Amino acid sequence: MLLDGMCVIATPQATRWIDAPTLEQLTGHSVRSDYKLPDEADPLPPARCYFGNATHL
């Protein structure tokens, strides 16, 4: 895993243009792109830090 410890949470719209299978292979975690209910288990490990990127065209 090239990006060990990194997880990707994308918007549903972003899944149209990101390469989720490659990101999953690089990080070792599934790419989450949908909301989860509070009582549902989180498939991702607890975060140690956050990085956000918003792009407006």
Side-chain angles (χ1 to χ4, degrees):
M1 286 173 281
L2 181 61
L3 302 173
D4 188 32
M6 180 179 259
C7 301
V8 177
I9 301 174
T11 65
Q13 186 73 10
T15 60
R16 295 171 56 185
W17 53 267
I18 65 171
D19 186 352
T22 298
L23 290 170
E24 290 173 356
Q25 183 180 13
L26 289 171
T27 64
H29 298 287
S30 61
V31 173
R32 197 171 105 194
S33 62
D34 201 1
Y35 296 106
K36 69 174 195 62
L37 296 173
D39 60 337
E40 291 178 324
D42 195 336
L44 303 177
R48 291 181 291 175
C49 68
Y50 293 91
F51 171 77
N53 185 19
T55 304
H56 300 280
L57 300 177

